[in-house]
């Protein structure tokens, strides 16, 4: 089974492109799209996710991991599910025993809806924390540790940042202790300056994570300044990387050399989306999630001549 929570309105046996309350889905591996008929109760969904996070064991003392995948704009639900499964398979190949859970917010399947998607992303963001991170954080017990992680692609990075910031402004959530271990931004659709150590926009994001890793590709075609829809928009962190000095919790991972030498084509494996099909990237995510190695010692990384971390080209 695959697990997702969907912040979209209903539309027949499917979902619309409008923000709404969360629906909790258990999706058979035979399904190629998310359907309303996959819905189960929130409690049942929570219990099944925890069981999957612990590798299927019912021993309450077993440690586990939950990775929340947050997709970007211009993604159909079928595409979200496909990428969810690529992440799941890639992590499993390297020994991951936890569970991948997708947070599906209402993004249209047309690039023309970019600005509308961004507004919908902001409206939906809080549900990521309330119905995902906070719910599982509240269940943490000394004898049972489940680590929470977030992997956000493209505008999903904006969703995550807004979710953390919004949560800190709501007394009901802010009064409780909640955090995630690893936050991984992939092709992040955020301004470079917004991740500076002194930026108020990302202070909540840094406050509630153990480490933030930014994967960026200077050959990212979608985040190019020349893209018509981006006229007047500041350089994006998923194309340019973070400014130095980095926040003490941050790691900047350059991916352009890996993209150029990895044999990726210019279609579905463009500079913006090749990550989902790159075994080196997925192995790097696995090591990042495990947290056993320092950011400088992860074997899928090397150092550039600029002293920056990078995915190894081959």
């Amino acid at each position: 089974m695959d697990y997702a929570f969907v912040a979209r309105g209903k539309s027949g046996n499917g979902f619309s492109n409008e923000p709404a309350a969360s629906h909790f889905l258990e999706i058979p591996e035979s399904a190629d799209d998310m359907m309303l008929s996959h819905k189960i109760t929130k409690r049942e969904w929570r219990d099944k996710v925890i069981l999957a996070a612990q590798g299927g064991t019912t021993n309450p003392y077993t440690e586990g991991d939950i990775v929340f995948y947050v997709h970007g704009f211009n993604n159909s639900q079928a595409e979200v599910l496909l990428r969810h499964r690529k992440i799941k398979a890639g992590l499993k190949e390297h020994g991951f025993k936890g569970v991948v859970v997708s947070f599906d917010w209402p993004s249209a399947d047309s690039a023309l809806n970019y600005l509308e998607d961004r507004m919908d992303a902001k409206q939906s963001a809080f549900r990521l924390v309330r119905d995902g991170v906070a719910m599982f954080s509240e269940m943490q017990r000394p004898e049972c540790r489940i680590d929470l992680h977030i992997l956000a692609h493209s505008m999903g990075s904006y969703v995550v940042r807004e979710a953390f910031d919004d949560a800190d402004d709501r007394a009901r959530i802010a009064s409780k202790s909640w955090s995630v271990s690893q936050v991984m931004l992939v092709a992040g659709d955020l301004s470079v300056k917004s991740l500076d150590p002194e930026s108020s926009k990302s202070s909540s994001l840094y406050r509630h994570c153990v480490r933030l890793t930014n994967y960026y590709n200077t050959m990212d075609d979608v985040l190019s300044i020349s893209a018509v829809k981006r006229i007047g928009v500041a350089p994006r962190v998923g194309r340019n990387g973070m400014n130095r000095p980095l926040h003490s919790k941050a790691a900047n991972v350059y991916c352009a050399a890996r993209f150029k030498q990895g044999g990726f084509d210019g279609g579905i494996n463009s500079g913006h989306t090749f990550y989902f099909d790159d075994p080196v990237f997925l192995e790097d995510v696995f090591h990042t999630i495990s947290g056993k190695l320092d950011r400088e010692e992860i074997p899928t990384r090397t150092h550039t001549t600029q002293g920056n971390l990078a995915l190894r080209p081959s």
Side-chain angles (χ1 to χ4, degrees):
M1 293 291 186
D2 293 299
Y3 296 95
F5 57 116
V6 179
R8 299 175 184 253
K10 302 176 184 177
S11 178
N13 189 32
F15 301 93
S16 71
N17 283 322
E18 298 302 322
S22 296
H23 305 278
F24 300 88
L25 308 185
E26 182 182 45
I27 308 164
E29 291 187 346
S30 59
D32 58 6
D33 207 345
M34 301 181 193
M35 299 295 179
L36 192 60
S37 56
H38 299 146
K39 183 178 178 178
I40 58 177
T41 68
K42 182 176 182 179
R43 180 182 292 274
E44 185 180 9
W45 184 86
R46 179 201 65 190
D47 292 346
K48 290 189 174 186
V49 168
I50 290 175
L51 184 64
Q54 296 175 321
T57 177
T58 56
N59 184 341
Y61 299 98
T62 303
E63 296 182 352
D65 292 279
I66 299 174
V67 178
F68 294 102
Y69 164 52
V70 187
H71 65 81
F73 84 102
N74 189 22
N75 277 197
S76 67
Q77 288 184 291
E79 182 66 27
V80 172
L81 186 57
L82 176 63
R83 291 178 178 175
H84 166 109
R85 288 170 174 166
K86 286 182 177 182
I87 296 167
K88 178 180 172 181
L91 294 180
K92 184 178 180 180
E93 185 175 342
H94 297 289
F96 180 67
K97 293 181 172 58
V99 62
V100 176
V101 173
S102 281
F103 172 63
D104 177 41
W105 56 276
S107 68
D109 55 3
S110 169
L112 296 176
N113 281 39
Y114 176 78
L115 293 178
E116 181 181 344
D117 279 2
R118 203 164 181 87
M119 289 186 287
D120 288 344
K122 188 175 181 67
Q123 290 184 48
S124 306
F126 180 63
R127 298 193 181 279
L128 171 62
V129 171
R130 191 189 69 177
D131 295 335
V133 174
M135 178 171 66
F136 292 107
S137 292
E138 290 173 1
M139 299 182 66
Q140 295 286 14
R141 302 183 303 276
E143 73 278 8
C144 175
R145 179 178 178 84
I146 295 179
D147 285 332
L148 310 177
H149 317 278
I150 295 177
L151 192 158
H153 179 250
S154 190
M155 199 188 293
S157 302
Y158 173 76
V159 173
V160 172
R161 190 192 71 191
E162 293 300 303
F164 279 50
D165 186 57
D166 193 13
D168 269 355
D169 290 337
R170 302 198 185 210
R172 184 177 176 184
I173 298 295
S175 63
K176 299 178 181 179
S177 176
W178 64 275
S179 66
V180 298
S181 178
Q182 306 293 329
V183 171
M184 295 154 284
L185 308 182
V186 185
D189 189 4
L190 292 171
S191 73
V192 173
K193 288 185 177 181
S194 71
L195 286 177
D196 286 352
E198 68 278 7
S199 174
S200 60
K201 290 185 176 180
S202 296
S203 59
S204 294
L205 184 58
Y206 285 124
R207 185 181 306 116
H208 291 288
C209 77
V210 174
R211 181 181 297 168
L212 183 147
T213 303
N214 177 58
Y215 296 93
Y216 71 102
N217 179 9
T218 52
M219 299 181 70
D220 189 321
D221 48 343
V222 172
L223 297 180
S224 168
I225 270 181
S226 64
V228 174
K229 63 180 176 291
R230 296 188 171 279
I231 293 176
V233 177
R236 314 319 275 170
V237 74
R239 179 178 169 94
N240 299 81
M242 293 186 286
N243 287 325
R244 297 184 185 182
L246 302 178
H247 190 283
S248 60
K249 291 185 177 183
N252 216 18
V253 182
Y254 171 76
C255 301
R258 173 62 193 163
F259 171 66
K260 286 188 287 187
Q261 297 184 17
F264 301 103
D265 59 49
I268 60 170
N269 286 317
S270 72
H272 191 64
T273 59
F274 83 97
Y275 302 94
F276 298 99
D277 294 291
D278 182 18
V280 174
F281 166 73
L282 291 168
E283 182 182 352
D284 193 275
V285 170
F286 168 75
H287 288 299
T288 300
I289 290 169
S290 70
K292 295 179 180 179
L293 299 173
D294 183 80
R295 71 196 78 178
E296 304 277 342
E297 301 299 328
I298 292 177
T300 44
R301 298 178 185 177
T302 186
H303 286 84
T304 70
T305 56
Q306 310 301 314
N308 195 14
L309 288 172
L311 284 185
R312 55 179 169 79
S314 60

